[in-house]
Amino acid sequence: MTSLYPAGPIGAPKHRHGQATAFDTGLPAGTEVFSADNHISVADDIFYQHFPDDLKDKAPRIWYEDGAYLLGPPGNSMVVGDFSAVLMQYDDLAGAATNNIEARIRELADDGVDKELAFPNAVLALFHYPDKELRERIFRIYNEHIADVQERSNGHCYGVGLINWWDPRGARRTLEELKSLGLKTFLMPISPGNDDHGQIIDFSSTEMSAVWDEIEAAGLPVTHHIGESQPKCPSEVNSVAVAMMVNIDSFREMFSKYVFGGILDRHPSLRVGWFEGGISWVLPALQDAEHVLASYQHMLKHQPEHEPRYYWDTHMCASFMVDGLGLKQIDEIGIDKVMWSSDYPHNESTFGYSERSLAAVVDALGPEDAVRVVGGNIRNFLGI
């Protein structure tokens, strides 16, 4: 079996280089590798540029500083601490941001990646911009920007959009706009924030059902991604590693709301993807859900219409970069439910050794099934 990681420390992504041309992954000739989860920074000051003159003083700004594209009020970045330090590990890559899609395509090709689904980076700091009307405007500007990047990529880059999730009419507006731009999916937060009364939004509540109605009607798959939550008690030592360990394990609450909160029972045509959290969490979550259902069914106001396994098999899939344990469990998870990704250009990405990660998929599954995992399944998820 091929050694998964190169010898020695992997290092910052800005110091890595693709080596795919010198390595045989074992994939059949002509296989199109489609990373199901990459990230892209915004280099241009798009919000200020596109806000009307009477609102420009409220527009978040984007600027480059100390090796990272930062965002927020001028001189007062909303991207701070570990998040800012992490951006500095990769934003200096030629293809890290939206202003050089040609370099991005070359860097990915050198790493053995032909196509990608691109999630935002620092823009996620605006997920909870306090003025909800301006927040929707911000999302609209981002969607237009990433749709332009998608168009300029000539089929190499597919952008993940952002929608209004707190108001049904806003959800309809943003979903219609997103579809008209040619975007194939959108990111829903795991932590949706507060409503206009200061109460935490509960995605499984009656009030939110109309939002899910709009999402279901739009027919686009939903994506959830790690990285929103931070440790409740920050670590004085190696906080970036502690935070990453917390972030990786962040899907259970939302997963439970789909299953036990009745979201999927009320909206049975939804399709849901879980990104960057790996695939080895799936079977323990299903096992625990089955135990919870057996133990607490007599106390549940809403009785799930199906066993927990049904919701995974019928509605869900997940992505991974390096997940040897998950690959060993692939028969139980489902070969059509998992999607490989490089996570370019993040620290935890396989950028610089993607050929080893891809070879591990072939070693574990064989060439034919590996083709589905490294490209076919994400195409099916996006409907392309």
Side-chain angles (χ1 to χ4, degrees):
M1 171 151 325
T2 303
S3 174
L4 183 56
Y5 298 103
I10 296 171
K14 62 186 178 182
H15 298 143
R16 303 181 203 170
H17 303 281
Q19 305 174 76
T21 57
F23 194 97
D24 181 12
T25 63
L27 288 167
T31 299
E32 183 179 74
V33 176
F34 193 142
S35 173
D37 169 39
N38 284 359
H39 292 266
I40 196 162
S41 294
V42 177
D44 300 318
D45 199 10
I46 59 172
F47 305 116
Y48 184 79
Q49 292 167 1
H50 291 90
F51 265 46
D53 289 343
D54 61 328
L55 291 176
K56 282 190 181 296
D57 62 326
K58 297 182 179 180
R61 305 300 300 267
I62 294 175
W63 69 94
Y64 180 84
E65 181 180 324
D66 294 334
Y69 293 106
L70 303 180
L71 180 150
N76 186 21
S77 176
M78 298 172 67
V79 183
V80 297
D82 287 336
F83 194 178
S84 177
V86 167
L87 289 173
M88 295 174 190
Q89 302 297 302
Y90 53 76
D91 268 353
D92 271 338
L93 278 166
T98 55
N99 63 335
N100 197 341
I101 189 63
E102 294 82 9
R104 185 179 183 89
I105 293 169
R106 288 196 302 272
E107 285 179 342
L108 288 170
D110 288 344
D111 203 43
V113 178
D114 302 296
K115 296 181 185 291
E116 62 171 336
L117 181 64
F119 287 82
N121 270 327
V123 167
L124 293 183
L126 299 173
F127 246 25
H128 300 293
Y129 195 86
D131 185 316
K132 291 187 174 68
E133 184 176 346
L134 292 183
R135 188 194 301 171
E136 185 176 319
R137 181 184 293 272
I138 287 166
F139 289 179
R140 182 176 298 113
I141 292 169
Y142 180 78
N143 290 342
E144 291 170 351
H145 183 70
I146 198 63
D148 178 66
V149 172
Q150 177 174 298
E151 179 68 22
R152 289 189 285 113
S153 79
N154 294 317
H156 289 279
C157 176
Y158 291 83
V160 176
L162 305 174
I163 72 162
N164 177 331
W165 67 77
W166 55 91
D167 169 65
R169 288 173 294 182
R172 178 181 296 182
R173 281 193 303 270
T174 48
L175 284 162
E176 289 176 350
E177 293 164 358
L178 190 144
K179 292 177 69 175
S180 72
L181 290 168
L183 300 179
K184 303 300 183 183
T185 189
F186 58 93
L187 180 61
M188 284 285 276
I190 298 170
S191 302
N194 298 333
D195 62 21
D196 292 336
H197 306 290
Q199 300 299 310
I200 296 175
I201 294 174
D202 174 9
F203 274 147
S204 64
S205 67
T206 303
E207 288 80 4
M208 284 292 104
S209 190
V211 170
W212 291 109
D213 288 341
E214 298 296 342
I215 293 172
E216 185 175 34
L220 296 178
V222 182
T223 70
H224 295 289
H225 197 284
I226 70 166
E228 293 176 40
S229 60
Q230 295 296 320
K232 293 181 174 61
C233 297
S235 174
E236 182 179 335
V237 179
N238 291 336
S239 59
V240 66
V242 173
M244 194 61 205
M245 288 293 289
V246 173
N247 284 330
I248 290 171
D249 186 26
S250 59
F251 289 150
R252 277 204 169 202
E253 182 175 354
M254 191 65 213
F255 171 82
S256 298
K257 290 194 173 186
Y258 279 116
V259 174
F260 293 112
I263 294 173
L264 291 176
D265 286 339
R266 295 188 293 272
H267 305 93
S269 65
L270 288 178
R271 291 177 296 132
V272 182
W274 308 94
F275 290 84
E276 204 176 320
I279 56 176
S280 57
W281 66 273
V282 173
L283 293 184
L286 290 173
Q287 175 177 270
D288 291 347
E290 291 167 357
H291 187 62
V292 167
L293 181 60
S295 303
Y296 288 87
Q297 191 165 17
H298 63 287
M299 297 179 65
L300 303 182
K301 294 180 180 179
H302 168 79
Q303 294 294 329
E305 296 176 7
H306 307 278
E307 291 295 316
R309 178 78 206 207
Y310 170 90
Y311 298 102
W312 169 258
D313 289 341
T314 306
H315 298 275
M316 299 180 184
C317 57
S319 79
F320 71 98
M321 296 92 73
V322 178
D323 196 334
L325 179 59
L327 289 173
K328 290 179 181 178
Q329 301 171 329
I330 198 73
D331 289 340
E332 286 294 313
I333 298 170
I335 193 70
D336 293 322
K337 314 299 289 181
V338 299
M339 306 168 291
W340 178 85
S341 70
S342 73
D343 192 38
Y344 168 95
H346 282 180
N347 263 46
E348 63 274 18
S349 75
T350 62
F351 177 61
Y353 66 98
S354 290
E355 73 286 347
R356 294 175 178 271
S357 178
L358 291 166
V361 178
V362 176
D363 286 345
L365 309 181
E368 183 176 338
D369 283 341
V371 169
R372 294 151 71 182
V373 170
V374 307
N377 291 343
I378 183 60
R379 294 184 68 94
N380 290 339
F381 178 74
L382 297 175
I384 58 176

